[in-house]
Amino acid sequence: MQQGNIFVISAPSGAGKSSLVTELCKQDNNISVSISHTTRKMRIGEAEGINYYFTDVVTFEKMIKNSELLEYAKVYDNYYGTSATKIKELTSAGKDIILEIDWQGARQVKKLFPESTLIFILPPSLEILSQRLHGRNTDSVETINSRMNLALDEISHAPEFDYIVVNDLFNQALSELQNIINSQKNLTKNMLNQFKQRFFKGN
Ligand code: 5GP
């Protein structure tokens, strides 16, 4: 069985990453998004097991100690991490998986899986990012200001990624992401299994 591909998608808060990922998954049945564990509080409109598995610090630190996490990081004073079991299960079944994580996690994943594809989503400008953060209305002004500073920090890591997509026009950014994902699937090493079975049955 051909292993599924791992795609890491990172972006500063407000770049529109989640909407793009939701649409990507809707249009591609073989791709699913990993649900992270976090110690941050649930926001209005979020649900357990849909956006995150919400957990407390003690439980999270136990997961770290028991090596249950593929990667983890502290972002905005909260822990975020990806459970290893689910990722292994899905990729072994040939499913492609998207990890929506920060640059620290992206680095860890690339180290563990050098064949993974790292994609960074940029907003068209910092002015537009700031407008988008203010328009969200779910966080306080202090939170928005601190997220703006952290956005600059996150953006400074974009050069470490394999691809950069600018989310100015949603549909264009979506199609650029689809192109990246499809070209990864078409890499010769990823096509080889099917190709061999179809054309060289005796070998
Ligand atoms: P938010 O609290 O806005 O949902 O996410 C804050 C940041 O944490 C985002 O940059 C998001 O990509 C990152 N994040 C979410 N889940 C994970 C994870 O499992 N691991 C890491 N390293 N970062 C994550």
Side-chain angles (χ1 to χ4, degrees), residues 10 15 48 63 70 74 92 96 102 104 110 115 121 124 131 141 146 152 156 161 169 172 182 184 200 202:
S10 301
E48 168 72 15
M63 292 177 82
L70 193 77
K74 230 176 189 178
S92 310
D96 293 334
D102 83 323
Q104 305 173 79
K110 192 69 172 181
E115 309 216 316
I121 299 178
Q131 283 165 20
V141 174
S146 101
L152 291 172
S156 73
F161 285 65
L169 300 172
Q172 190 183 328
N182 288 334
Q184 192 64 22
F200 305 103

Side-chain angles (χ1 to χ4, degrees), residues 10-162:
S10 301
S13 177
K17 175 184 59 171
S18 299
S19 315
L20 284 166
V21 169
T22 305
E23 200 52 39
L24 264 181
C25 293
K26 255 195 223 161
Q27 295 190 16
D28 185 342
N29 287 336
N30 197 49
I31 204 159
S32 51
V33 61
S34 156
I35 298 167
S36 300
H37 287 72
T38 184
T39 58
R40 91 143 155 76
K41 288 204 179 77
M42 197 187 279
R43 292 195 194 119
I44 296 164
E46 289 185 330
E48 168 72 15
I50 303 285
N51 305 90
Y52 284 104
Y53 296 109
F54 295 92
T55 178
D56 55 68
V57 175
V58 174
T59 312
F60 197 99
E61 287 179 343
K62 244 185 226 158
M63 292 177 82
I64 299 176
K65 213 170 147 204
N66 296 339
S67 307
E68 288 173 41
L69 300 171
L70 193 77
E71 63 73 36
Y72 72 93
K74 230 176 189 178
V75 189
Y76 318 123
D77 292 331
N78 294 306
Y79 278 124
Y80 292 84
T82 307
S83 154
T85 330
K86 192 78 185 164
I87 304 297
K88 280 186 194 138
E89 192 185 299
L90 287 168
T91 51
S92 310
K95 294 269 181 202
D96 293 334
I97 189 120
I98 294 178
L99 306 184
E100 268 190 77
I101 60 178
D102 83 323
W103 67 270
Q104 305 173 79
R107 242 188 212 175
Q108 295 170 49
V109 172
K110 192 69 172 181
K111 214 168 169 190
L112 274 174
F113 306 101
E115 309 216 316
S116 59
T117 307
L118 307 192
I119 308 168
F120 197 91
I121 299 178
L122 279 175
S125 69
L126 286 179
E127 289 71 30
I128 292 175
L129 181 69
S130 165
Q131 283 165 20
R132 287 182 187 168
L133 286 178
H134 279 85
R136 215 191 228 182
N137 255 346
T138 50
D139 297 307
S140 67
V141 174
E142 296 80 55
T143 307
I144 291 169
N145 288 341
S146 101
R147 288 201 167 197
M148 199 61 207
N149 288 332
L150 284 157
L152 291 172
D153 183 46
E154 185 82 27
I155 289 171
S156 73
H157 293 280
E160 295 173 28
F161 285 65
D162 298 312

